[in-house]
Amino acid sequence: DAGITQSPRHKVTETGTPVTLRCHQTENHRYMYWYRQDPGHGLRLIHYSYGVKDTDKGEVSDGYSVSRSKTEDFLLTLESATSSQTSVYFCAISESGLAYEQYFGPGTRLTVT
Amino acid sequence: DAKTTQPTSMDCAEGRAANLPCNHSTISGNEYVYWYRQIHSQGPQYIIHGLKNNETNEMASLIITEDRKSSTLILPHATLRDTAVYYCIAQDVNTNAGKSTFGDGTTLTVKP
């Protein structure tokens, strides 16, 4: 399995609080991604990074920010958590940016009350 | 990227072949067909991809019609561990993987 860890794995937080999720890789891959998955649905891209300090928005980026200060870490921040952001968040990595080379982390289950 | 359409759910008997269809009637010449699967609550896992020709690897076979408007993922001898949601994605080879659109997929249930 690709070396991807996500922390925390589970979190419950209150509406209005900031939350930061961490994705850590040991593969030295250039590309990193954050997706969210809501019950019964596929994944939707939030943000992605194509290098240190290089990031871009995905299809559902409102209310989220990201940072990548070093190759191995990609942070996702919910600036002011809302109940609509209750979801499972997956991080993925890719060496070349090709779809078949995406490796996914174990996910973080976030509940906003 | 072309939109893909998959059945919501399918059943398959253990040991039999599972044939999962995907429709991508608006696919363009540069778009590959990719298949991923997601076993309960885990991150998606890449299975196979193809452009025009049929492809086979240790996990599955991919059959793409000549007009490329549809494809079928074949798991030759399904096991209970193949129970998962299977996603078919069409993506331009020149587009970053992060632009992939995962639809709702097909929930495959392999039964004893």
Side-chain angles (χ1 to χ4, degrees):
Chain A
D1 290 343
I4 311 170
T5 57
Q6 293 184 229
S7 59
R9 293 293 312 281
H10 302 271
K11 185 171 181 66
V12 180
T13 191
E14 294 184 349
T15 298
T17 59
V19 176
T20 296
L21 308 183
R22 180 184 183 227
C23 177
H24 178 77
Q25 61 148 327
T26 58
E27 305 296 324
N28 201 36
H29 284 355
R30 176 182 175 188
Y31 295 85
M32 298 185 75
Y33 310 86
W34 277 108
Y35 293 88
R36 63 175 287 176
Q37 185 174 36
D38 299 310
H41 295 286
L43 283 79
R44 291 183 292 170
L45 180 68
I46 305 171
H47 282 280
Y48 69 99
S49 170
Y50 48 96
V52 173
K53 300 192 175 171
D54 292 323
T55 64
D56 203 354
K57 296 179 179 180
E59 61 178 302
V60 291
S61 60
D62 287 348
Y64 301 95
S65 62
V66 290
S67 66
R68 192 168 178 201
S69 59
K70 46 187 177 178
T71 300
E72 57 265 37
D73 289 327
F74 192 32
L75 303 180
L76 176 71
T77 298
L78 287 65
E79 294 140 10
S80 177
T82 68
S83 58
S84 64
Q85 293 176 311
T86 292
S87 189
V88 179
Y89 291 84
F90 288 100
C91 173
I93 65 173
S94 172
E95 184 174 22
S96 67
L98 299 178
Y100 66 87
E101 287 191 349
Q102 281 197 87
Y103 300 97
F104 285 80
T108 293
R109 185 174 297 276
L110 176 68
T111 302
V112 183
T113 61
Chain B
D1 297 339
K3 178 179 169 58
T4 61
T5 304
Q6 300 175 251
T8 301
S9 64
M10 295 181 63
D11 291 342
C12 177
E14 188 178 18
R16 305 296 294 268
N19 297 283
L20 292 90
C22 179
N23 180 284
H24 32 79
S25 58
T26 61
I27 196 168
S28 67
N30 285 334
E31 290 180 317
Y32 281 71
V33 178
Y34 296 84
W35 283 84
Y36 277 77
R37 74 179 181 184
Q38 186 173 24
I39 296 171
H40 180 63
S41 298
Q42 298 178 20
Q45 174 191 25
Y46 163 79
I47 302 174
I48 198 167
H49 75 287
L51 183 63
K52 296 180 183 178
N53 300 321
N54 299 336
E55 303 287 344
T56 295
N57 63 20
E58 66 277 5
M59 292 182 67
S61 295
L62 175 61
I63 308 298
I64 302 174
T65 58
E66 190 169 345
D67 63 8
R68 302 211 321 122
K69 292 184 177 182
S70 65
S71 60
T72 301
L73 179 74
I74 301 172
L75 308 178
H77 306 287
T79 71
L80 299 179
R81 290 176 296 178
D82 291 323
T83 291
V85 179
Y86 288 79
Y87 296 100
C88 169
I89 300 165
Q91 183 180 319
D92 190 315
V93 66
N94 296 313
T95 303
N96 185 281
K99 302 296 186 182
S100 297
T101 300
F102 286 74
D104 293 343
T106 297
T107 298
L108 174 69
T109 303
V110 180
K111 298 184 174 181

